[in-house]
Amino acid sequence: MPTVYVTYTPKNNGKPPENLISAQAGKETLQLVPVEIGSDKLNCIQAAQRAGVFIPHYCWHPALTVVASCRMCLVEVGERKPDGSIAMTGKLVPGCQTPVKDGTVVVTNSQKVVHEQAQTLESLLLNHPLDCPVCDKAGECLLQDYTYEFGRATSRMIDLKNTPANKPDLGPNIALFTDRCIMCSRCVRFTREIAGTAELQIINRGNHSEIDIFPGEPLDNKLATNVVDLCPVGALCSKDFLYKHRVWNLKTQNSVCPDCSTGCSIHLDGNKNIVYRLRPRENPQAQGYFMCDEGRLGYHYINSKERFLRPLRRQDGKLTPFSYDEAIRTVRQMLKDAVAKDAFGVVVVLSPFLTCEEAFLLAKYAKSLSKAVQLALGPVPIVGEDDTYPKDRRGRPIQPVKFTIRAEKCPNRQGVERILRHYQGQLIAFDEVVRQAEAGKLQLLYLAASYPPRGDGWLTAEQAATLGKVGQVILHDLYPSRASEIAHVVIPGGAFAEKDGTFVNHAGLAQAIHWAITPTGECRTEGQVVLDLMQRPGLLHAATLRKELASEVKAFAALASGDLGEYGILLDSTK
Amino acid sequence: MAEFEPVLLRRILKNASPSLEAYRADGGYRALDKALAMSPADVTKAVVDSKLRGRGGAGFPCGVKWTFLPKDHPGPIYLCVNADESEPCTFNNRILMHQDPHQVLEGMIIASYAIRAQVAYLYIRYEYGDATRAMQQAIDEAYAAGLLGKNILGKQGFDLDVYIHRGAGAYICGEETGLIESLEGKRAWPRIKPPFPAVEGAFRKPTIVNNIETLACVTHILDRGPEWFKSMGTPADPANPRDAGSYGPKLYCISGHVNKPCCVELPLGVTARELIDKHGGGVWKGRKAKAIVPGGISMGFLTADEIDTKLDFGSLGPFTKNGCLGLGTAAVTVIDEETSMVDVLYNICRFFEHESCGQCTPCREGTGWMLKIVDRIRKGLGRAEDLNILEEVGHQIGIMPGTTICGLADGAGWPVKQAIRKFRAEFESYIKSGKKTHTLQLVAAH
Ligand SMILES: Cc1cc2nc3c(=O)[nH]c(=O)nc-3n(C[C@H](O)[C@H](O)[C@H](O)COP(=O)(O)O)c2cc1C
Ligand code: SF4
Ligand code: SF4
Ligand code: SF4
Ligand code: FES
């Protein structure tokens, strides 16, 4: 088995790994962690990572080409001979550019390496403003972090720093704090290699180099804000987040972007019940490393003041608030009465924004009232066509595709459909529901909607007019809309950031979402509402429900452990 | 010693020397005839045997570099001719191109034949308008005479097109991979190696980059044979297996504080003293030399005591006593005893700060910092510890320690390190004296 050896640096009260070996490199004795690499093509940074050793790096990023220019990752390499002795090359090499093979020894802690790491950091700080107190990146800044861990406490430079002008309008969503830039060129490579739009470039030379755009060609593409995450320092900032919150006060949850069926894994950063930003979370099974700006910046509705805060019922034509407990009792009774009268005339509509657990509970509950109750799929928002990147400067897609923003603007059609197929046998589309309403066949409509406010709303005016003819309409939703205009009872719904559960993306990847904030006011997530309708005690616990779902619905059998892990689980492709 | 008969400069300043007709009359393109009668591998072998080392600065054995091309590559393979000549005080490529362009072109055609290139790019720095025009004229004449184009000189299947590409005035475009990037229309950011250009160069195809003077030598090696070439210069030291020797003629540029700045051709291995006194007319104004730049400012300094150092590949180098970076371009610049080394270093630092491409942290920031420190010392605000910082930074940046992508950083650090090591007392007394020198600030053109 090909094995690479990485030097071990004792950490404060950390236990050395058990497989540690000692080997002689000339006069020096090295403590090495062996790590098997199989047939993988790795550089020193990646190999060391597998051995649990961190090599600091700036310019290298697994999704971008290697430029080996920041020189933060310098290491020494050698080769372990069959007799166990080690021959070092005696030169510093960039770990990012240096591939490992069987027998490679990566030295990350020699005097030379340690000195050079400190030197690179001192260099990077020479012209750096160190305005950490007002810098958005402070707290998650790799210049701070590395300087703390690998750098010197003081700078020896007493000369004036370069002070290039800031570029607050690099793009509609992005500001450049020019002097904080460490010239890693990640942002430039991103726009060239992933977005393809190539807005960014480096102008000037030497220590006067700056990131810039061509006049009149702002950094404006659908993936643009990824450069903010890629930027290791506070040079590129998202205007959406700028000066809104100190990052160390944010609490981060792993979740999934609900804005299209790509289902980008994300970090959800919030505090005190407010979501402040979404960031892509690396997931090789989902989108890779990035997310689109639409998804990233599309969360503001969660914090909106327009949201329904209390259950409402229609009295004298007007929606008036009533208590949650009363709402649950009322809805339960309405359903019971309607089913008793004509169960075929009861339709429960599940939107593709529900989690699998919610859809499961609701389907199960509806069918427990009567097998005849119909389950249908809510409208699936489709906008345009799948949009792939990179693109060339004229906007034409380029192969190979590195990122796709999908036309299907919802996170969980795949999951909800699987549940509908199981409980209903066939898939009843929303148009069919409208037809039945038109034909006067429906007496109660239960709309579990909770669509985010996009475009013209999720119901067309005609659909709303037709559905308005149904005697009783019960609605879960976030906002006043055409749907609430025809509803008799409105129970506020939950947004994705308030939910624990599962979304299944376009490829059948089941990923976990976690709540970062709690629903405001008297809102409850749809899942909780259904639990209360079912009179199942307690709060929604996604893992428990997932196990239940896996055991009852074959399509979800792969989720039997209840744990989806960081990257999710691919359901088998039979839908 | 008998007077040396110039080889490369033998036709310079003769009547009509740039024209094809005159070149042919002087035996021009005879070497090409000979080469075309040989196989490409034999031509390469002749160059390998001659032990010709690259004249562009690094001194890499030319023929050996050609053998690094992948065997049986389907092509295209490119030849890039490096005429960026931006090392300060270096001007021999210019003379060759301007005065005897066919000598250069013949070398290019022979090299292309040897390496099986069908396209050669001639990358000329923007400032060399006259040389560019002379080369273009020669290329046009060569096409008309069947020396370029298809089936050259009737040799079936030997095609070659030559294109001139003009740079836009950056030192870094002389670094071979910077040159290639620039040729491809990009910013001249040197590439990381491997892959080396011989494996993946211009347009990601195998590419050989050679200097103008190197190729001019190739012409004569083919004409007169490797043994003749090896009869000149400093032979390899048999005690040192790593010494590849310094054979053949070399164009030495002499400038600075001498009475007669000039370019002379001599066998490799002449001493700095001979160059200055015999060919440069001695140090001007009756003064003595304080420091001598042996081969372009990237190479560091020889002190007055080291004036008898031979200027060849083996006698200059990091592991020699003088500790210079190498022979470089063999551009000798004399600094007289009245000149302040603080000023000299300031000027050098200004050059490299301006020319660093800015890609690697140590070079980008190091060149800027060194300039700021030297500038401050100059203005009378120096501290003793500044000299240590300068020496440390100068020692730390470059491909030799492994901290950068290209050799510009070595060349930027070397003169700083050597100035401090060799002239420390002068810097110290300048700092102590409280002297202030102010320069009119040039409008910084970044
Ligand atoms: C910063 C830098 C500048 C250089 N400038 C030149 C130049 O102007 N002309 C040149 O021939 N070689 C220059 N070189 C050397 C080239 O990289 C390369 O080694 C050379 O062109 C190879 O040709 P040769 O083997 O014939 O010498 C430079 C190297 C560096 C690192
Ligand atoms: S980029 Fe980092 S080091 Fe620089 S000011 Fe911001 S937080 Fe501080
Ligand atoms: S702006 Fe940020 S990402 Fe771009 S080069 Fe500078 S430090 Fe790197
Ligand atoms: S060493 Fe200097 S000039 Fe060379 S690539 Fe690095 S930054 Fe550019
Ligand atoms: S991460 Fe390796 S040089 Fe930047």
Side-chain angles (χ1 to χ4, degrees):
Chain A
M1 200 49 171
T3 306
V4 169
Y5 304 86
V6 186
T7 47
Y8 170 73
T9 313
K11 294 204 192 72
N12 288 344
N13 55 40
K15 257 207 253 120
E18 272 157 24
N19 54 354
L20 204 63
I21 59 166
S22 280
Q24 214 53 36
K27 279 187 215 131
E28 221 147 324
T29 312
L30 301 179
Q31 300 292 312
L32 299 170
V33 191
V35 54
E36 286 181 1
I37 55 164
S39 57
D40 296 343
K41 284 199 157 68
L42 305 177
N43 64 23
C44 294
I45 298 178
Q46 293 166 310
Q49 190 177 24
R50 290 204 188 170
V53 177
F54 179 71
I55 299 177
H57 56 275
Y58 287 121
C59 64
W60 182 73
H61 187 279
L64 303 174
T65 52
V66 177
V67 289
S69 64
C70 75
R71 300 282 151 161
M72 191 63 242
C73 66
L74 292 173
V75 292
E76 289 186 79
V77 292
E79 199 183 336
R80 187 163 191 254
K81 298 269 149 63
D83 68 1
S85 69
I86 289 168
M88 297 298 299
T89 58
K91 221 176 141 171
L92 292 166
V93 294
C96 62
Q97 187 204 336
T98 309
V100 295
K101 58 182 203 305
D102 190 24
T104 302
V105 175
V106 183
V107 176
T108 66
N109 58 5
S110 66
Q111 226 185 349
K112 230 174 172 174
V113 171
V114 169
H115 176 78
E116 205 47 50
Q117 287 171 336
Q119 195 54 39
T120 299
L121 285 161
E122 183 180 39
S123 295
L124 288 172
L125 289 174
L126 290 177
N127 282 305
H128 195 84
L130 279 170
D131 50 351
C132 309
V134 294
C135 176
D136 243 34
K137 201 76 168 194
E140 56 180 16
C141 168
L142 294 185
L143 194 50
Q144 287 184 326
D145 292 356
Y146 292 179
T147 300
Y148 185 75
E149 199 171 341
F150 306 102
R152 293 184 220 278
T154 51
S155 169
R156 293 177 290 172
M157 160 136 146
I158 60 165
D159 303 276
L160 285 181
K161 295 183 182 231
N162 296 350
T163 50
N166 287 341
K167 297 166 190 170
D169 286 312
L170 203 67
N173 298 323
I174 292 155
L176 174 67
F177 293 81
T178 318
D179 50 359
R180 291 181 195 149
C181 169
I182 59 163
M183 268 303 133
C184 71
S185 82
R186 278 182 173 197
C187 54
V188 176
R189 280 174 285 147
F190 177 84
T191 61
R192 294 185 183 171
E193 296 165 15
I194 309 291
T197 44
E199 295 95 340
L200 293 183
Q201 57 165 339
I202 290 160
I203 60 160
N204 300 345
R205 267 198 324 233
N207 68 105
H208 302 283
S209 305
E210 286 175 28
I211 297 298
D212 209 345
I213 49 173
F214 286 96
E217 303 262 342
L219 173 55
D220 188 10
N221 65 67
K222 287 186 182 171
L223 300 180
T225 310
N226 287 299
V227 298
V228 173
D229 314 313
L230 284 171
C231 185
V233 293
L236 289 165
C237 288
S238 159
K239 289 188 202 170
D240 184 61
F241 182 65
L242 192 60
Y243 304 138
K244 295 273 163 57
H245 218 74
R246 300 298 350 198
V247 300
W248 52 84
N249 287 328
L250 293 172
K251 290 168 196 69
T252 297
Q253 278 291 15
N254 286 356
S255 188
V256 174
C257 173
D259 267 305
C260 88
S261 60
T262 296
C264 292
S265 294
I266 60 165
H267 291 297
L268 203 48
D269 294 334
N271 186 27
K272 296 195 174 153
N273 249 14
I274 297 173
V275 172
Y276 285 97
R277 68 176 178 184
L278 271 49
R279 282 176 301 139
R281 170 166 60 90
E282 174 193 336
N283 186 346
Q285 298 207 81
Q287 87 286 11
Y289 297 92
F290 307 113
M291 74 184 295
C292 81
D293 278 15
E294 221 170 284
R296 182 196 296 267
L297 304 174
Y299 68 91
H300 287 281
Y301 68 90
I302 301 172
N303 304 332
S304 161
K305 296 217 159 51
E306 312 279 297
R307 276 179 68 173
F308 291 129
L309 295 177
R310 303 194 60 192
L312 305 164
R313 67 178 152 201
R314 196 164 296 280
Q315 275 179 338
D316 308 325
K318 262 176 56 188
L319 287 173
T320 38
F322 66 141
S323 79
Y324 180 76
D325 288 346
E326 206 184 339
I328 293 295
R329 278 198 300 276
T330 310
V331 169
R332 198 186 292 131
Q333 197 58 46
M334 283 166 79
L335 282 164
K336 215 168 147 191
D337 295 346
V339 167
K341 215 160 112 198
D342 170 19
F344 285 106
V346 175
V347 175
V348 178
V349 173
L350 279 62
S351 97
F353 281 87
L354 296 182
T355 65
C356 292
E357 291 76 1
E358 291 173 333
F360 165 61
L361 283 175
L362 188 50
K364 203 166 143 160
Y365 172 60
K367 288 294 184 186
S368 75
L369 300 173
S370 161
K371 282 261 178 302
V373 172
Q374 296 184 72
L375 300 173
L377 180 65
V380 177
I382 304 284
V383 180
E385 282 171 12
D386 287 0
D387 192 13
T388 68
Y389 288 84
K391 293 203 190 309
D392 66 16
R393 287 287 299 150
R394 295 196 178 81
R396 293 173 302 207
I398 300 175
Q399 296 296 330
V401 170
K402 294 181 178 159
F403 195 90
T404 307
I405 305 172
R406 290 196 159 68
E408 186 175 302
K409 300 292 177 200
C410 57
N412 198 27
R413 176 181 62 83
Q414 294 265 359
V416 172
E417 274 187 15
R418 280 171 166 83
I419 286 158
L420 290 174
R421 285 213 167 81
H422 178 84
Y423 285 98
Q424 187 62 37
Q426 100 256 41
L427 196 68
I428 301 176
F430 191 65
D431 289 348
E432 169 63 17
V433 177
V434 177
R435 266 196 296 280
Q436 290 190 19
E438 181 77 60
K441 288 186 185 160
L442 301 185
Q443 54 154 333
L444 186 144
L445 196 55
Y446 187 111
L447 299 169
S450 294
Y451 286 87
R454 301 279 187 250
D456 185 37
W458 63 276
L459 265 191
T460 65
E462 294 97 77
Q463 287 170 336
T466 311
L467 298 180
K469 294 177 192 155
V470 179
Q472 295 177 343
V473 177
I474 300 167
L475 174 72
H476 288 285
D477 216 348
L478 302 173
Y479 293 87
S481 69
R482 291 193 186 107
S484 58
E485 277 164 28
I486 58 165
H488 301 95
V489 176
V490 176
I491 304 186
F496 79 101
E498 295 151 0
K499 293 179 178 180
D500 265 14
T502 308
F503 283 160
V504 180
N505 81 351
H506 72 103
L509 177 69
Q511 298 188 79
I513 65 166
H514 295 288
W515 61 271
I517 55 173
T518 52
T520 43
E522 272 186 84
C523 304
R524 303 284 185 275
T525 63
E526 286 81 341
Q528 190 60 48
V529 171
V530 182
L531 284 177
D532 293 344
L533 287 173
M534 294 167 99
Q535 292 177 295
R536 266 174 73 157
L539 296 174
L540 184 144
H541 186 248
T544 309
L545 286 173
R546 218 172 271 142
K547 284 186 200 162
E548 211 176 305
L549 169 66
S551 71
E552 290 182 30
V553 182
K554 214 172 131 240
F556 290 91
L559 312 187
S561 75
D563 180 11
L564 297 180
E566 215 180 315
Y567 297 152
I569 294 174
L570 276 161
L571 302 176
D572 69 37
S573 51
T574 49
K575 288 169 193 167
Chain B
M1 195 172 93
E3 194 67 20
F4 172 73
E5 174 96 18
V7 179
L8 304 170
L9 294 187
R10 102 198 118 105
R11 304 186 60 252
I12 303 299
L13 299 180
K14 295 236 182 90
N15 223 1
S17 68
S19 78
L20 175 58
E21 205 184 333
Y23 184 64
R24 279 211 148 130
D26 290 344
Y29 289 106
R30 194 169 58 204
L32 178 60
D33 280 334
K34 291 185 187 172
L36 294 187
M38 297 158 72
S39 72
D42 286 343
V43 176
T44 303
K45 186 166 180 302
V47 177
V48 172
D49 291 345
S50 75
K51 304 240 157 122
L52 166 65
R53 291 173 68 172
R55 304 304 199 221
F60 195 84
C62 176
V64 176
K65 176 152 68 179
W66 294 359
T67 63
F68 292 162
L69 288 168
K71 302 276 167 290
D72 306 320
H73 192 274
I77 291 170
Y78 297 112
L79 174 70
C80 287
V81 185
N82 193 340
D84 193 56
E85 191 163 66
S86 14
E87 184 70 29
C89 303
T90 309
F91 41 88
N92 53 32
N93 287 184
R94 174 187 203 168
I95 294 172
L96 290 175
M97 288 189 289
H98 191 197
Q99 303 288 339
D100 199 359
H102 280 288
Q103 176 184 212
V104 172
L105 193 56
E106 186 173 2
M108 287 171 62
I109 301 171
I110 295 171
S112 301
Y113 176 70
I115 66 172
R116 300 172 186 278
Q118 304 208 322
V119 173
Y121 295 102
L122 177 54
Y123 190 104
I124 308 183
R125 66 178 298 180
Y126 185 77
E127 293 84 342
Y128 285 0
D130 49 5
T132 307
R133 285 182 288 277
M135 282 309 303
Q136 189 59 56
Q137 169 95 30
I139 291 167
D140 295 345
E141 284 174 332
Y143 269 109
L147 292 160
L148 288 174
K150 297 248 176 286
N151 304 323
I152 291 169
L153 293 180
K155 180 94 181 170
Q156 283 304 311
F158 176 43
D159 306 339
L160 180 66
D161 287 308
V162 175
Y163 302 98
I164 292 182
H165 186 98
R166 296 185 76 176
Y171 179 59
I172 198 59
C173 293
E175 198 279 343
E176 52 186 4
T177 57
L179 181 149
I180 289 171
E181 287 282 301
S182 169
L183 183 70
E184 290 181 5
K186 304 184 202 140
R187 239 179 116 80
W189 273 23
R191 292 181 182 168
I192 50 176
K193 294 134 221 162
F196 287 91
V199 176
E200 204 181 293
F203 311 103
R204 302 277 157 200
K205 298 292 177 206
T207 301
I208 292 294
V209 183
N210 272 134
N211 173 264
I212 289 281
E213 190 186 342
T214 314
L215 293 172
C217 288
V218 166
T219 305
H220 298 282
I221 290 167
L222 266 290
D223 189 27
R224 297 158 82 167
E227 288 312 316
W228 160 82
F229 192 79
K230 278 175 66 182
S231 68
M232 290 168 274
T234 315
D237 173 7
N240 180 2
R242 295 220 311 231
D243 183 6
S246 304
Y247 298 101
K250 178 79 192 86
L251 301 185
Y252 290 95
C253 302
I254 309 168
S255 63
H257 299 156
V258 288
N259 284 314
K260 208 181 92 196
C262 61
C263 174
V264 288
E265 181 177 3
L266 292 165
L268 273 163
V270 62
T271 63
R273 186 194 296 278
E274 186 188 330
L275 269 183
I276 297 165
D277 291 347
K278 192 162 156 205
H279 303 280
V283 182
W284 72 357
K285 299 182 186 168
R287 293 178 191 161
K288 288 207 201 71
K290 180 199 272 182
I292 301 144
V293 175
I297 56 172
S298 333
M299 297 299 128
F301 301 99
L302 294 172
T303 61
D305 295 343
E306 294 164 335
I307 195 164
D308 287 313
T309 307
K310 280 183 165 190
L311 301 183
D312 60 27
F313 294 112
S315 310
L316 294 159
F319 305 110
T320 63
K321 245 173 58 206
N322 55 65
C324 290
L325 185 50
L327 176 62
T329 61
V332 173
T333 309
V334 177
I335 294 150
D336 76 17
E337 58 194 337
E338 309 253 306
T339 307
S340 162
M341 285 309 283
V342 181
D343 291 346
V344 170
L345 196 58
Y346 170 69
N347 218 12
I348 291 177
C349 287
R350 228 180 41 172
F351 177 77
F352 287 109
E353 187 263 359
H354 186 58
E355 297 295 347
S356 162
C357 84
Q359 191 176 192
C360 322
T361 305
C363 173
R364 176 183 69 242
E365 302 299 338
T367 51
W369 195 15
M370 292 191 302
L371 173 63
K372 282 177 184 174
I373 294 175
V374 176
D375 188 25
R376 179 162 47 73
I377 292 175
R378 227 171 144 250
K379 288 182 176 145
L381 297 168
R383 307 165 303 167
E385 64 257 44
D386 287 329
L387 300 180
N388 298 337
I389 298 176
L390 283 173
E391 191 182 339
E392 185 189 322
V393 176
H395 183 61
Q396 197 142 275
I397 61 176
I399 42 179
M400 309 254 307
T403 58
T404 63
I405 291 173
C406 92
L408 183 141
D410 300 78
W414 220 269
V416 177
K417 170 168 93 174
Q418 283 216 311
I420 304 297
R421 285 188 187 163
K422 293 189 176 179
F423 300 95
R424 194 174 185 111
E426 184 181 339
F427 282 90
E428 281 173 350
S429 73
Y430 184 95
I431 289 173
K432 282 206 199 99
S433 73
K435 213 172 134 193
K436 296 181 172 60
T437 318
H438 286 282
T439 336
L440 283 178
Q441 203 65 46
L442 290 176
V443 176
H446 303 135

